[in-house]
Amino acid sequence: MPTIKKKKSVIKRARQNERARARNVLQRSRLKTAVKKVRTAENQEAAKQELIKTSALLDRLAAKKIIHKNKAANLKSRLAASVRKK
């Protein structure tokens, strides 16, 4: 933990931020894995199934403000285009 003041509320807030950051890093990692699964799917049918799951994940992360809503929309659009090309 970084050097901070010894006030109880400051210490608690630092602890909460640390936990939230760890959660957010985990969620972003899950997102990257999901996107990779869509892009590396063998056939179009498998890619469509993964796209549905990934789209739902993108919407959830955008709603929780872990990623920006425009980034979610852009990713969904690009992934859908790549699935159509397969």
Side-chain angles (χ1 to χ4, degrees), residues 10-22:
V10 175
I11 293 170
K12 181 178 179 181
R13 193 68 206 156
R15 245 188 355 254
Q16 289 174 331
N17 287 340
E18 212 171 291
R19 280 193 228 114
R21 184 180 172 279

Side-chain angles (χ1 to χ4, degrees), residues 72-86:
N74 288 339
L75 261 174
K76 281 172 33 176
S77 174
R78 286 180 188 159
L79 288 174
S82 74
V83 168
R84 278 193 302 270
K85 284 184 182 178
K86 287 190 178 197

Side-chain angles (χ1 to χ4, degrees), residues 27-35 54 57-58 61 67 75:
Q27 294 296 325
R28 282 194 206 100
S29 177
R30 282 183 57 210
L31 175 64
K32 287 178 187 178
T33 304
V35 168
T54 304
L57 180 62
L58 281 164
L61 295 184
I67 61 172
L75 261 174

Side-chain angles (χ1 to χ4, degrees), residues 13-58:
R13 193 68 206 156
R15 245 188 355 254
Q16 289 174 331
N17 287 340
E18 212 171 291
R19 280 193 228 114
R21 184 180 172 279
R23 242 189 335 265
N24 292 344
V25 167
L26 180 69
Q27 294 296 325
R28 282 194 206 100
S29 177
R30 282 183 57 210
L31 175 64
K32 287 178 187 178
T33 304
V35 168
K36 194 188 296 185
K37 281 184 181 180
V38 174
R39 290 189 174 143
T40 60
E42 296 91 33
N43 55 30
Q44 191 173 22
E45 200 54 43
K48 279 183 184 177
Q49 292 302 317
E50 289 299 328
L51 178 62
I52 291 168
K53 293 176 189 173
T54 304
S55 293
L57 180 62
L58 281 164

